[in-house]
Amino acid sequence: MTSLPDIHRLQGTADLLPAESFQWAEAERVIRATMFRFGFGEIRFPVLEPTELFARGTGASTDIVQKEMYTLVDRGGRSLTLRPEGTPSVVRAYLEENLGSQRPVWKLFYLGPMFRAERPQKGRYRQFHQFGAEMIGAASPESDVELIALARTILHDLGLTGLRLQLNSIGSPAARHDHSEKLRAFLRQPDVYAKIDEDCRRRMETNPLRVFDCKNEECIRIMRHAPTIDQFLTAEDQDHFARVRSGLESLGISYELDPRMVRGLDYYTRTTFEFKTDLLGAQDTVCGGGRYDLLVETFGGPATPAVGFASGIERILAAAQEAGASQGTLPRLDVFVGALGDQARALIPSILARLRGLGFSADSDFLGRGLKAQMKEANRLAARLVLIVGDDEITRGQFTLRRMDEGGQAEIPADLAQWNKETFA
RNA sequence: GUGGGUGUAGCUCAGCUGGUUAGAGCACCAGGUUGUGGCCCUGGGGGCCAAGGGUUCAAAUCCCUUCACCCACCCCA
């Protein structure tokens, strides 16, 4: 089985072999292409960051910071953390590279691995991969709409259909704080408290908004009468939200209002959104995002509004597969060189070099096997052509070129210099 | 961190209430075609049945422990 009995892939991580990594490369290509079409440029930032970046950026009260970070101490005694999400790093770079003074608005995207020390399950991994986009410097409702449209376009381009867009506005931190307090007060009323279940009594203290998510029918009934966030939004918040909604409508993007939608990160303000699928089981959010108008300030920068989203590649690929989206297959090999005999085998390197120089993908057998085995190998590689080089061919000065789809064979000159693209078309 | 499920060949799995050398399909290798793939036929290599302990004349099968993986809760991509 294994010759490394004590060395294993870490829980919640994966090895991707060529058949699968090819799907990934395709997805990444699509993501970048669409990002560029929307005018977003790629930012690459470190996988390892100071722990304080996330403690302050993601938020000390979040589950991510409280129990899900891979944190280590380096030799200098510094606390470092494998990035659990991208947004704080983008904001750090924005400030560190002094981007705000160069242009009023920055549109950046990223793509890469993130790390969270959670118990793995379907659609949840300890090393997973996200792409995300951030527009920093714009406060307009149209920028919210632009980001939602961007996310939706990429998801569509990746073959995902039937997604539900859920939308909410959570106002300012002050409004949320107000709301939470009122919610607690509501839940503490004896006649209410008596009816909610144990989980919700716990949630009431830790995160009262979560009670809205309870699946218990009694809790759902009671929560219909609970105060919702929209009652705490300012007139400006409400106006912003109304303009986001009308912007989406003018684009024909349908959405569901979900006043109970809670996002797990501290920095969101006003608009929040999620794209969900019903193809994945419990972990059904494929993309989540929102506005974070105060985050730049919390790092000591100037008041700078921003909006962004992040999306999980594993979940997207799983959902696309579930939806029966066409899966790209590895490209076919153009020419397989089948050689027989020492004299012919000695020619393989220069033949391969010539074919590759002409722009063809070319491969050969390096085991010195018989022609039959080499033909099987060529078939496995889905080769279009097999160039057969044996003693006969060398004495005749003509190589045999077999077309694998039709089965026909032809002769081509043994002189490599006479070959051109048409020879192997 | 909590709950449930599953661990038998590279992969997907069978092996019922314990009984002689542990099976199938696929994959891999070889032969049928001493220089020709995909289909077919024949043969072959591969398993300390997750690990450790226990019960028994006898354990892949029953019991215990550990480990791993999966699903779910919490939360999120």
Side-chain angles (χ1 to χ4, degrees), chain A residues 63-70 84 115-118 124:
Chain A
D63 279 11
I64 289 176
V65 170
Q66 287 190 350
K67 56 184 190 188
E68 295 172 2
M69 292 200 302
Y70 279 105
F115 303 84
R116 293 184 199 172
E118 299 182 270
R124 164 188 292 164

Side-chain angles (χ1 to χ4, degrees), chain A residues 324-363:
Chain A
S326 66
Q327 301 203 56
T329 49
L330 283 165
R332 301 185 63 172
L333 182 70
D334 290 320
V335 186
F336 184 90
V337 180
L340 283 164
D342 290 342
Q343 207 188 340
R345 272 197 286 276
L347 295 176
I348 288 179
S350 48
I351 293 174
L352 289 176
R354 177 64 176 144
L355 287 166
R356 291 163 182 160
L358 285 168
F360 294 107
S361 61
D363 205 347

Side-chain angles (χ1 to χ4, degrees), chain A residues 248-264:
Chain A
L248 291 173
E249 283 154 19
S250 72
L251 279 177
I253 298 177
S254 53
Y255 58 87
E256 304 162 10
L257 285 181
D258 183 5
R260 319 167 321 180
M261 187 171 75
V262 184
R263 307 237 64 240

Side-chain angles (χ1 to χ4, degrees), chain A residues 74-135:
Chain A
D74 75 2
R75 294 177 191 214
R78 289 251 289 167
S79 180
L80 310 179
T81 292
L82 288 171
R83 61 186 190 193
E85 62 145 341
T87 302
S89 295
V90 176
V91 170
R92 177 194 53 65
Y94 176 86
L95 290 169
E96 195 160 343
E97 311 298 332
N98 204 14
L99 302 184
S101 63
Q102 300 176 33
R103 281 189 230 156
V105 179
W106 280 80
K107 299 193 283 182
L108 298 168
F109 77 90
Y110 58 85
L111 174 58
M114 303 292 165
F115 303 84
R116 293 184 199 172
E118 299 182 270
R119 198 68 157 251
Q121 69 184 72
K122 189 178 179 68
R124 164 188 292 164
Y125 307 96
R126 290 186 168 175
Q127 176 176 341
F128 61 105
H129 298 76
Q130 285 188 329
F131 62 87
E134 318 284 357
M135 190 188 302

Side-chain angles (χ1 to χ4, degrees), chain A residues 9 211 244 246 334:
Chain A
R9 174 167 48 79
V211 181
V244 170
S246 65
D334 290 320

Side-chain angles (χ1 to χ4, degrees), chain A residues 254-323:
Chain A
S254 53
Y255 58 87
E256 304 162 10
L257 285 181
D258 183 5
R260 319 167 321 180
M261 187 171 75
V262 184
R263 307 237 64 240
L265 307 178
D266 278 1
Y267 49 65
Y268 285 114
T269 55
R270 293 190 163 171
T271 316
T272 60
F273 62 91
E274 289 185 0
F275 283 93
K276 294 196 166 199
T277 172
D278 45 18
L279 299 169
L280 285 188
Q283 309 305 322
D284 59 354
T285 301
V286 132
C287 175
R291 178 159 281 288
Y292 49 97
D293 289 337
L294 305 173
L295 185 56
V296 175
E297 274 182 272
T298 68
F299 284 114
T304 308
V307 58
F309 69 81
S311 199
I313 295 180
E314 284 85 353
R315 288 186 188 177
I316 287 172
L317 292 179
Q321 184 167 15
E322 217 38 60

Side-chain angles (χ1 to χ4, degrees), chain A residues 111-163:
Chain A
L111 174 58
M114 303 292 165
F115 303 84
R116 293 184 199 172
E118 299 182 270
R119 198 68 157 251
Q121 69 184 72
K122 189 178 179 68
R124 164 188 292 164
Y125 307 96
R126 290 186 168 175
Q127 176 176 341
F128 61 105
H129 298 76
Q130 285 188 329
F131 62 87
E134 318 284 357
M135 190 188 302
I136 302 178
S140 70
E142 291 72 31
S143 59
D144 302 35
V145 174
E146 176 78 343
L147 266 287
I148 292 171
L150 170 59
R152 187 172 178 274
T153 303
I154 292 177
L155 294 168
H156 175 81
D157 291 349
L158 289 171
L160 280 192
T161 54
L163 294 176

Side-chain angles (χ1 to χ4, degrees), chain A residues 176 179-180 183 203 207-213 260 262:
Chain A
R176 248 170 305 145
H179 179 216
S180 289
L183 210 47
R203 291 189 185 108
N207 188 349
L209 290 174
R210 280 281 155 213
V211 181
F212 279 117
D213 282 344
R260 319 167 321 180
V262 184

